[in-house]
């Protein structure tokens, strides 16, 4: 297997996600975020998977991405179908995983040049 170093340039890269914090580029956040290669929403409303609503994912769907990677905190928790409905209606793919895995997956997919968003819950 060949490994290649990907240069992100000015694009957003998740450097770390653990212990209730996430570091994007050189800035650390303690609240939920949505990150795309070109956009950062550092005041995303839900603090936990229990607070996540369809409106929250509707705002993510409006970013015009092809895939949303939802990080649900320290463990993988699948939201109810009605919560995911805005993404399904907008024909946006969704992957659900714990937040650390979501951060790693976002970096891989973004490095491929794909139009992706990571919606990361930290609690």
């Amino acid at each position: 297997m060949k490994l290649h170093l990907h240069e992100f340039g000015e694009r957003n890269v998740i450097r770390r996600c653990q212990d209730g914090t996430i570091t994007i580029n050189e800035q650390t956040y303690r609240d939920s975020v949505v990150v795309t290669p070109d956009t950062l929403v550092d005041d995303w409303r839900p603090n936990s998977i229990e607070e996540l609503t369809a409106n929250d994912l509707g705002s993510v769907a409006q970013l015009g991405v092809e895939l949303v990677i939802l990080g649900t905190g320290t463990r993988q928790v699948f939201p109810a179908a009605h919560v995911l409905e805005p993404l399904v209606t907008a024909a946006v793919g969704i992957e659900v995983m714990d937040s650390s895995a979501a951060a790693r997956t976002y970096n891989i997919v973004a490095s491929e040049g794909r139009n992706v968003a990571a919606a990361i819950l930290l609690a």
Side-chain angles (χ1 to χ4, degrees):
M1 171 190 298
K2 289 186 177 182
L3 299 177
H4 300 278
L5 176 63
H6 289 280
E7 293 296 328
F8 283 85
E10 298 297 316
R11 302 180 72 108
N12 291 319
V13 177
I14 300 174
R15 303 284 182 195
R16 181 174 191 258
C17 184
Q18 65 184 53
D19 301 328
T21 65
I22 186 168
T23 302
I24 301 168
N25 301 326
E26 304 305 321
Q27 181 69 41
T28 300
Y29 302 90
R30 289 179 169 36
D31 294 311
S32 300
V33 299
V34 177
V35 61
T36 74
D38 303 313
T39 304
L40 175 63
V41 179
D42 61 1
D43 59 351
W44 195 41
R45 189 203 65 81
N47 290 314
S48 66
I49 189 66
E50 294 80 19
E51 293 181 8
L52 184 67
T53 67
N55 286 339
D56 298 320
L57 290 180
S59 67
V60 177
Q62 291 176 357
L63 294 173
V65 296
E66 64 185 60
L67 173 65
V68 172
I69 303 167
L70 177 62
T72 59
T74 57
R75 59 189 177 84
Q76 180 185 41
V77 179
F78 288 93
H82 73 275
V83 173
L84 299 174
E85 187 175 340
L87 296 172
V88 174
T89 301
V92 175
I94 177 109
E95 294 289 337
V96 178
M97 52 195 75
D98 69 71
S99 292
S100 292
R104 292 187 303 272
T105 303
Y106 162 82
N107 283 337
I108 292 168
V109 175
S111 75
E112 296 171 347
R114 294 188 48 205
N115 191 11
V116 60
I120 306 288
L121 300 164
L122 295 174

